[in-house]
Amino acid sequence: MFDKVLIANRGEIALRVQRACKELGIATVAVHSTADADAMHVRLADESVCIGPPAASESYLNIPRLLAACEITGADAVHPGYGFLSENARFAEILEEHQITFIGPTSEHIRIMGDKITAKETAKSLGIPVVPGSAGEVTSETQALKIAKEMGFPVLVKATAGGGGRGMKVAHSALELGLALATARSEAKAAFGNDAVYIEKYLPKPRHIEIQVFGDGKGNAIYLGERDCSLQRRHQKILEEAPSPALNAAARKKIGETVSTAMQTLKYRGAGTVEFLFEDGEFYFIEMNTRLQVEHPVTEAITGIDLVLEQIRIASGAPLTYKQDQVTFSGHAIECRINAENARTFRPSPGQITYWHPPGGLGVRVDSGVYQGYRIPPYYDSLIGKLIVHGKTRNECMMRLRRALSEFVIDGIETTIPLFQDLVSQPDFVNGMYDIHWLEKYLQKP
Ligand code: MV4
């Protein structure tokens, strides 16, 4: 087991990793920018290293500085959290070259899944259902038109180097295809420096359902159920729940076994999330995230499994703690992402928290790195905490969520709490009847 883990992240996820390390008796090293000198993860770490000014490129994304922090402190492993360098294959490689364990998958698997085309090709070869579309990059309108006519319109043009919905254009007919290709290419060139595009059958009203999977890197893998992340705004997840209201036990078992078998074949190591679009009872692979996700606590709530403990154990060479038949699902969990933003305009609202009173009670968890008096810096993303609520049923979970939201007091800044207080009484949400477009349509209503 590791002696000392450097946590290459900040905010609530840095604290989350620290908790797991402490439970395993592992010393922790926090890194921070000058803007985060007063952050909770710095206060609670055994050691801390200031790695630079506020800009992420000069701190949390700066590989030489993170490596220097490892050398100075003698850390023998690094946990990347999510975001920042968590899916940077080169960072994983460099750490391994310095005999420091990267708590995550191999750089090879990070690289494969980081490219949309190779990820989709790999998924297909492993028996995972994918969206019908071009075998790879399309380089001419003639080629695109031939494939589109075979699939049927509408089709979606996507950037190979894309992600988070950037560089995507829908074409409803042959007449629109040329413009969609040209627009997607130019946006991809501008955003990613790479104008390669591919096309897929466009799914008009899907849900976003992701499968949590764990592998030991030696050919064993288990799945830990699914999370429904369909409530999104501009490709930002707002609320996630487990299990999905749209899945029954048979569908869950089928897609879970498909994914875990694929990860066994791949000899995948660590935590992974396989993302699908789900429409008319069918799953379609869109991408795989080779990191721990923000929304992992809803899976922890219904399985009772600490995913970060598992990540650290696997990275240290231990076998999976659980066999598939030891993974059980109990109850329902919902996570609300509390952002320092105006609940209607979503304008960021950094500043000092003058009063902080989180909810409590049975089935209520708040993961956050802020505290009363803390000044939220304007340099990083606006997530200040996650409210995770668990209940025996979805209805009990929602009753508890409404009560927890009513207890939550955060003064001094604006937050998205009022949005959730509104959402949990909307009939479509209460009935679980929402797809990936529902929230943006709802927010556009006067
Ligand atoms: C799609 C799609 C419909 N049809 N692919 C958005 C970002 C990237 N994760 C993939 N995305 C989509 N791909 C096909 N063939 C719709 C989306 C999409 C979406 C997917 C998941 C969650 C939210 C979304 C919001 C808009 C579009």
Side-chain angles (χ1 to χ4, degrees), residues 116 131-132 156 158 163-166 168 200-204 206-208 229-230 232 234-235 275-277 286-287 436-437 440:
K116 302 298 165 210
V131 187
L156 190 63
K158 288 184 168 181
R166 289 181 302 171
M168 284 187 351
E200 289 182 344
K201 180 72 182 153
Y202 178 63
L203 300 171
R207 296 181 84 113
H208 173 133
C229 308
S230 304
Q232 301 198 17
R234 295 184 187 176
H235 304 290
E275 291 194 355
F276 293 90
L277 295 177
I286 40 175
E287 54 198 70
I436 61 172
H437 305 299
E440 292 202 10

Side-chain angles (χ1 to χ4, degrees), residues 135-203:
E137 186 186 343
V138 290
T139 51
S140 74
E141 186 174 341
T142 310
Q143 179 197 6
L145 191 55
K146 181 173 179 297
I147 296 167
K149 282 182 173 172
E150 285 162 6
M151 291 194 297
F153 286 95
V155 299
L156 190 63
V157 183
K158 288 184 168 181
T160 306
R166 289 181 302 171
M168 284 187 351
K169 288 290 167 228
V170 183
H172 293 90
S173 69
L175 285 176
E176 293 181 12
L177 188 55
L179 180 61
L181 280 166
T183 312
R185 267 192 207 293
S186 65
E187 285 185 12
K189 185 76 180 167
F192 319 113
N194 174 349
D195 71 349
V197 294
Y198 60 105
I199 64 172
E200 289 182 344
K201 180 72 182 153
Y202 178 63
L203 300 171

Side-chain angles (χ1 to χ4, degrees), residues 81-128:
Y82 50 64
F84 293 130
L85 295 169
S86 62
E87 295 184 294
N88 184 307
R90 187 74 191 107
F91 182 52
E93 256 164 15
I94 291 171
L95 288 172
E96 299 294 341
E97 285 163 8
H98 287 75
Q99 289 76 50
I100 299 169
T101 300
F102 176 79
I103 298 175
T106 61
S107 55
E108 179 206 3
H109 288 157
I110 296 173
R111 196 165 276 119
I112 288 171
M113 294 304 175
D115 174 282
K116 302 298 165 210
I117 293 275
T118 54
K120 190 173 175 182
E121 285 167 350
T122 306
K124 191 172 182 179
S125 69
L126 292 168
I128 293 174

